[in-house]
């Protein structure tokens, strides 16, 4: 699938629609999900144009990937959920139900999250 420059997260990256940023550096942006499913529900995205997890980990460069993974740990520390725990979910492609075609990880925390699949 080719990257859709008009997807919602691309628009957030370009500043065309607002978000509540939690973390930002040269490679990564993280912001609150608009419909939170837990007390903490953060969307973490690379700034590069990747449609999904498969695209990012197959085609992203090493620095982008390392910075993305490091950002996850930094955000967990910043939110004080590194000790209490959190869940990372990334929907990839049709069968996952991925809605926004820019690679993203959901970080959920702030309560006992229960089974992985509800
Ligand atoms: P997906 O189903 O693609 O894994 O998740 C997409 C997520 O993006 C959903 O949890 C949805 O609530 C969130 N979302 C959709 N539109 C917006 C928006 O305009 N702003 C923010 N902050 N989150 C959004």
């Amino acid at each position: 699938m080719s990257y859709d420059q008009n997807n919602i997260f691309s628009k957030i990256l370009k500043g065309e629609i607002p978000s509540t940023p939690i973390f930002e550096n040269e490679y990564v942006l993280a912001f609150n999900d608009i419909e939170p499913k837990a007390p903490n529900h953060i969307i973490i995205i690379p700034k590069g144009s990747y449609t999904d997890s498969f695209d990012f980990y197959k085609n992203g460069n090493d620095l982008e990937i390392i910075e993305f993974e490091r950002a996850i740990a930094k955000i967990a520390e910043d939110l004080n959920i590194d000790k209490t725990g959190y869940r990372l979910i990334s929907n990839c492609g049709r069968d996952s139900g991925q809605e926004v075609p820019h690679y993203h990880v959901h970080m959920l925390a702030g309560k006992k999250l229960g089974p992985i699949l509800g």
Side-chain angles (χ1 to χ4, degrees), residues 17-60:
I17 60 172
S19 68
T20 310
I22 296 293
F23 172 89
E24 181 167 17
N25 69 15
E26 188 180 344
Y27 299 94
V28 179
L29 178 67
F31 49 88
N32 282 326
D33 195 290
I34 203 167
E35 287 183 41
K37 306 292 189 299
N40 300 104
H41 186 169
I42 315 301
I43 298 285
I44 307 170
I45 65 174
K47 289 191 172 177
S49 299
Y50 300 99
T51 56
D52 58 22
S53 165
F54 181 78
D55 185 20
F56 183 63
Y57 291 110
K58 188 167 171 61
N59 299 314

Side-chain angles (χ1 to χ4, degrees), residues 8-9 12 31-35 91 97-100 104 106:
I8 295 277
F9 294 168
I12 285 176
F31 49 88
N32 282 326
D33 195 290
I34 203 167
E35 287 183 41
N91 292 314
Q98 180 181 359
E99 290 174 2
V100 180
H104 56 280
H106 300 254

Side-chain angles (χ1 to χ4, degrees), residues 53-71:
S53 165
F54 181 78
D55 185 20
F56 183 63
Y57 291 110
K58 188 167 171 61
N59 299 314
N61 68 48
D62 291 356
L63 191 55
E64 288 175 305
I65 292 169
I66 289 167
E67 289 287 341
F68 191 79
E69 301 299 332
R70 292 267 188 229

